């Protein structure tokens, strides 16, 4: 069974302290790796799609990268408003459990 | 632009009672539609998906069912709720690029 695994489960950052989240996947023949942001009590918000190893996408302080077996979401100089749970998903609709990021002012 | 609606936002139901959750999409035609459940502190579990009217695929065996009576309407139902059906139910619509866009969700508590 294909799996998507995210680490760490939780990440506490000081404002301005950059860090990275990991998403590893087992599905072969990847046809898309998707990142979402979810705020408490709300539906996930689509962030990025990555299709091939080496691809990068950026949005404000977030940058997503993709290798053959994992993806990283880099948060550069985070602000408190970046606090959320970040989810990744493979093209077969399997989601990881998410990484909950808390940014303290 | 496309929008997706879900209702109700919250629901408290007793064990054994029926369930009907509705999802509608505006601004797109013939979307792929999905129902997910999210248990507390866990990832999203795909329950059903539909590629067209009357076409429903079930991903997990359970006492839930789904229907798509119209192109942009997706309904999640149960005849008798179980305690384990509690969770956050999310509807999503999808594009040909396999991207998904989620609704605001329904928080269901079965008591």
């Amino acid at each position: 069974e294909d799996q998507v695994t995210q680490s760490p489960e939780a990440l506490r950052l000081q404002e301005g302290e950059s860090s990275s989240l990991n998403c590893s996947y087992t599905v072969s023949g990847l046809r898309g790796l998707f990142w979402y942001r979810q705020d408490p009590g709300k539906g996930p918000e689509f962030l990025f799609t990555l299709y091939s190893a080496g691809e990068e996408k950026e949005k404000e302080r977030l940058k997503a990268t993709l290798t053959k077996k994992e993806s990283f979401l880099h948060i550069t100089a985070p602000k408190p408003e970046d606090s959320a749970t970040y989810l990744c998903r493979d093209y077969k609709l399997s989601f990881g459990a998410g990484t909950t990021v808390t940014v303290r002012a | 632009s496309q929008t997706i609606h879900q209702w109700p936002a919250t629901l408290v139901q007793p064990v054994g009672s029926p369930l009907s959750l509705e999802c509608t999409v505006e601004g797109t035609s013939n979307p792929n539609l999905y129902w997910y459940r999210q248990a507390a502190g866990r990832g999203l579990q795909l329950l059903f998906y539909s590629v067209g009217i009357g076409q429903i695929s079930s991903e997990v065996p359970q006492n839930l069912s789904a229907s798509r009576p119209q192109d942009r309407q997706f309904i999640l139902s149960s005849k008798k709720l179980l305690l384990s059906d509690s969770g956050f139910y999310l509807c999503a619509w999808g594009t040909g690029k396999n991207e998904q866009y989620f609704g605001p969700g329904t928080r269901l508590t079965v008591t």
Side-chain angles (χ1 to χ4, degrees), chain A residues 36-46 81 83-87 95, chain B residues 4 6 9-10 36-39 42 44 87-91 101-107:
Chain A
Y36 293 81
R37 169 193 170 123
Q38 186 175 24
D39 292 308
K42 297 189 176 181
E45 173 191 349
F46 172 74
E81 52 263 42
S83 298
T85 296
Y86 293 88
L87 300 165
F95 274 89
Chain B
I4 179 168
Q6 284 186 249
T10 60
Y36 282 87
R37 178 171 58 204
Q38 187 174 34
R42 302 190 61 180
L44 280 72
F88 191 43
Y89 287 82
L90 289 155
C91 179
Y101 299 90
F102 285 83
T106 295
R107 176 75 59 190

Side-chain angles (χ1 to χ4, degrees), chain A residues 36 38 43-44 49 51 89 91, chain B residues 38 97-100 102-103:
Chain A
Y36 293 81
Q38 186 175 24
T49 307
Y51 286 105
R89 194 207 96 198
Y91 79 96
Chain B
Q38 187 174 34
K97 294 181 179 180
N98 212 4
E99 296 170 356
Q100 292 175 309
F102 285 83

Side-chain angles (χ1 to χ4, degrees), chain A residues 60-76:
Chain A
E60 297 182 353
R61 294 174 293 283
L62 301 177
K63 184 169 79 172
T65 61
L66 183 66
T67 70
K68 287 189 176 180
K69 282 300 176 187
E70 56 189 352
S71 178
F72 295 92
L73 184 65
H74 309 278
I75 310 178
T76 301

